[in-house]
Amino acid sequence: MQFTKMEGLGNDYVYINCFKEAVEEPEHIAIKVSDRHFGIGSDGLILIKPSKTADFCMDMYNADGSRSEMCGNGIRCVAKYVYDYGLTDKTAISVETLAGIKYLDLQIKDGKVEMVTVNMGAPELVPEKIPVKSTKDILVNEPIEACGNQYNMTCVSMGNPHCVVFVSDTQSFPLEETGPELENHAWFPNRINVEFVQVLDRKTVNMRVWERGTGETLACGTGACATAVACILNGLTEEEITVHLLGGDLLVRWDREENLVYMTGPAKVVFDGEIELD
């Protein structure tokens, strides 16, 4: 099976062109290819498919084989793949995901996609739709306990669920202990992605992310969007911020008048290859 490994700020996935390849049991393939010792090594598997409702369809699986609704870094790489590999010549495309159709604008340099802006849609703040087990109308600065400590969370869905926690220092924070406990907390029936955020100023934050089904990754596009929304809801930043992640920077803007979140960042090809599947 032919594949392309791509990354957005170090958030890396194995991409399969399903216009050419037939993929059976993608859950098992995701586990195999994601293994960094015995496989290709990635945060998961993304299938690029035909769509009846958009230009393309993105079907995503985490490293543990579980299915995910959306990935901001992943969808930017989908845009780069379909343009660079000649599946389209359009610089504005639509991509079907489990979180709905997303609209992307491609920035071209020397005939290749360099940067992509994604209209990520409206943030979902109603707890039962995120989902979070709560009877409140919205969860902003809500206390939650993990690892014997109390934190304050703001919950947002950007097509997939996020719990944003503000901390004083992301670098020294015990993410490997707290992340999995919050991911699997009883409040979250579908588990959750957790962002640990340090506000530097009104336009800049640091973020580390614990992704459900994968663990810590170098970046998370939907998480950066959820972080921007959480920062604004808590009165901590302006409506457009730069999010510093371990893998690089994303520019995120929540247009509150339109109630739409826009994310801009890079996408890169790591290598092409072929793998034999058992």
Side-chain angles (χ1 to χ4, degrees):
M1 183 179 70
Q2 293 182 337
F3 70 88
T4 299
K5 179 169 174 174
M6 305 182 74
E7 58 92 2
L9 302 183
N11 195 192
D12 58 341
Y13 290 90
V14 172
Y15 292 77
I16 307 293
N17 180 353
C18 291
F19 288 80
K20 294 182 177 180
E21 300 279 355
V23 178
E24 298 180 1
E25 298 184 329
E27 301 88 349
H28 300 298
I29 294 175
I31 296 171
K32 180 180 177 68
V33 301
S34 298
D35 193 302
R36 297 190 184 275
H37 299 287
F38 298 101
I40 299 165
S42 69
D43 292 326
L45 172 72
I46 291 179
L47 309 179
I48 301 173
K49 297 179 173 182
S51 171
K52 294 181 179 179
T53 57
D55 294 319
F56 300 95
C57 174
M58 165 180 156
D59 191 8
M60 176 186 171
Y61 297 83
N62 297 314
D64 67 353
S66 60
R67 203 171 184 190
S68 187
E69 299 91 343
M70 238 293 284
C71 172
N73 293 311
I75 200 169
R76 292 200 315 277
C77 289
V78 169
K80 180 173 177 63
Y81 184 98
V82 298
Y83 186 90
D84 288 8
Y85 287 78
L87 276 67
T88 186
D89 60 0
K90 298 195 297 184
T91 57
I93 65 170
S94 57
V95 179
E96 177 189 355
T97 75
L98 287 181
I101 296 175
K102 305 301 178 185
Y103 298 91
L104 299 85
D105 291 314
L106 289 54
Q107 299 177 30
I108 312 300
K109 182 179 180 181
D110 298 328
K112 303 287 186 182
V113 173
E114 183 177 46
M115 300 284 284
V116 180
T117 297
V118 187
N119 178 345
M120 299 290 286
E124 178 59 69
L125 303 175
V126 177
E128 65 179 358
K129 294 182 179 179
I130 294 175
V132 184
K133 293 181 180 178
S134 174
T135 58
K136 294 190 174 182
D137 294 333
I138 187 173
L139 294 174
V140 175
N141 202 34
E142 186 74 16
I144 188 171
E145 189 171 308
C147 299
N149 298 310
Q150 181 170 299
Y151 300 97
N152 288 72
M153 66 175 182
T154 298
C155 294
V156 182
S157 173
M158 289 304 310
N160 53 2
H162 293 274
C163 165
V164 180
V165 175
F166 293 99
V167 298
S168 59
D169 182 9
T170 51
Q171 185 174 357
S172 62
F173 187 81
L175 180 142
E176 291 187 355
E177 298 173 11
T178 311
E181 187 157 329
L182 285 174
E183 175 194 354
N184 297 284
H185 197 284
W187 280 26
F188 310 123
N190 294 344
R191 296 185 295 166
I192 207 157
N193 303 285
V194 190
E195 285 72 41
F196 300 95
V197 179
Q198 174 188 359
V199 177
L200 301 179
D201 56 46
R202 295 286 299 176
K203 294 185 177 181
T204 320
V205 303
N206 288 336
M207 182 189 112
R208 289 175 68 190
V209 58
W210 182 269
E211 292 199 54
R212 60 175 180 169
T214 299
E216 183 174 19
T217 61
L218 295 178
C220 176
T222 56
C225 294
T227 289
V229 171
C231 286
I232 295 164
L233 289 175
N234 283 278
L236 301 173
T237 68
E238 307 296 335
E239 290 191 358
E240 182 173 85
I241 64 172
T242 297
V243 183
H244 295 315
L245 305 111
L246 296 181
D249 295 347
L250 288 172
L251 183 67
V252 183
R253 175 171 62 91
W254 182 18
D255 186 323
R256 300 194 74 176
E257 186 174 337
E258 294 184 339
N259 193 28
L260 295 173
V261 179
Y262 296 90
M263 173 196 64
T264 301
K268 295 182 179 180
V269 172
V270 181
F271 59 84
D272 298 302
E274 189 171 332
I275 187 172
E276 291 186 9
L277 299 173
D278 299 332

